[in-house]
Amino acid sequence: MQTQSIAAKTGMGTVELAVTDANRALRFYRDYVGLRPLPSDGPELRLGAAGRELVVLQPGVEHPVMPRTSGLYHLAIVVPDRRELARVIGRLAGLRWEQYPTDHVMTKANYLWDPDGNGIEIYTESPEDGTMGFANGTFVAYDKEGNPRSGRDPIDLDELLSHLHEEDKLDEPMPAGTRMGHVHLHVAVVGAALRFYHNLVGFDVMGHVPGTGFVSAGGYHHHLGLNEWAGRGARQAPPGHAGLRRFTVELPTRRDLADVTSRLEHGDVRVVEEGDGFAAVDPSANRVLFRAA
């Protein structure tokens, strides 16, 4: 039973990933994704958009992502409009990087993987095109006329690329307004993950079907996706593999942060102060940092 909803203006912050090769990872996130390096005091690589930190890369592991383990399914960066999504897709096409532009109706998304197998989604909101959600125990999508859609069609690339201007440069970095839209996790058991993120943390459940759940704050379609697609009971990868190290949930105020940490502690979850926030571990061994924005 949920005791209290998390603050409506809660959002997602920095995602921290382990990578094998620092130089290769830097080139990918800078030249392919479009993020820009930020100052760092240590060996980690900090990247963001218009000065806003989005991804931290921790180099030094020996192996790429291990399949069928708990952890990151994808981090999801949201760009301000279709023009910026078109710029990303055009840039990746020119660099011949494998990508999967997908029309979710209410969002336009592009899926790819970094050189170590960390999943990435880059998307823009398009609620004017219709909706996607859950009904009768499954996913449903409808266009703006109310016609059913798969929600997984390829994007109309001719229409999307028409939003680029003739003078646009494909290598321009992601602009101001770019942010971490959501994080999608592989979990061992969706029910246990929902008890943690809904009952204790306070996210609202936006949809739940067998093997999958989506939760959010303030009515957003989802801030966290939870799935068992790596296998029910999936375990954390052994040390030395690339993958998720920590993701961040940003609360609007210190009071909102205190509310979340109090609920976790009352739920017998160990909460540890780290930097400017408080860290906990979910039932699938995914580490999450809660901080005030």
Side-chain angles (χ1 to χ4, degrees), residues 17-22 43 57-63 116 240-242 245:
L17 303 173
V19 296
T20 56
D21 186 306
L57 305 175
Q58 300 175 357
V61 294
E62 298 178 356
H63 308 289
D116 285 307
H241 286 78
R245 287 298 172 264

Side-chain angles (χ1 to χ4, degrees), residues 1-2 24 28 44 47 56 62 71 111 116 118 150 164 175 184 190 194 238 242 272-273 289-290:
M1 179 183 296
Q2 185 183 29
R24 183 179 67 173
F28 176 79
E44 69 275 2
L47 300 106
V56 173
E62 298 178 356
Y111 295 93
D116 285 307
N118 292 301
S150 76
L164 287 172
H184 199 144
V190 166
L194 286 173
V272 179
E273 188 169 2
L289 177 71
F290 299 94

Side-chain angles (χ1 to χ4, degrees), residues 195-212:
R195 284 190 292 275
F196 181 87
Y197 290 108
H198 172 60
N199 297 24
L200 298 180
V201 175
F203 281 111
D204 299 319
V205 177
M206 305 305 290
H208 180 204
V209 299
T212 308

Side-chain angles (χ1 to χ4, degrees), residues 11-15 17 29 33 35 54-55 72-79 85 104 107-112 118-125 174 177-185 214 220-225 244 247-248:
M12 306 307 291
T14 303
V15 175
L17 303 173
Y29 282 92
V33 176
L35 301 179
L54 297 176
V55 176
L72 185 72
Y73 178 52
H74 60 242
L75 60 85
I77 298 169
V78 57
V79 294
L85 181 61
H104 293 314
T107 67
K108 303 293 178 280
N110 192 32
Y111 295 93
L112 61 152
N118 292 301
I120 300 167
E121 177 185 352
I122 301 168
Y123 71 106
T124 193
E125 310 284 0
M174 290 180 166
T178 301
R179 56 187 170 81
M180 190 63 65
H182 63 268
V183 175
H184 199 144
L185 301 172
F214 288 93
Y220 191 58
H221 48 75
H222 66 296
H223 285 110
L224 278 173
L244 180 67
F247 68 94
T248 307

Side-chain angles (χ1 to χ4, degrees), residues 56-122:
V56 173
L57 305 175
Q58 300 175 357
V61 294
E62 298 178 356
H63 308 289
V65 171
M66 175 179 282
R68 302 192 67 77
T69 55
S70 64
L72 185 72
Y73 178 52
H74 60 242
L75 60 85
I77 298 169
V78 57
V79 294
D81 52 38
R82 297 180 198 230
R83 179 187 179 192
E84 294 304 327
L85 181 61
R87 193 192 310 275
V88 170
I89 291 173
R91 178 169 62 242
L92 290 167
L95 294 168
R96 299 185 180 277
W97 194 263
E98 189 173 14
Q99 59 181 326
Y100 296 90
T102 305
D103 188 350
H104 293 314
V105 188
M106 67 180 183
T107 67
K108 303 293 178 280
N110 192 32
Y111 295 93
L112 61 152
W113 289 264
D114 78 5
D116 285 307
N118 292 301
I120 300 167
E121 177 185 352
I122 301 168

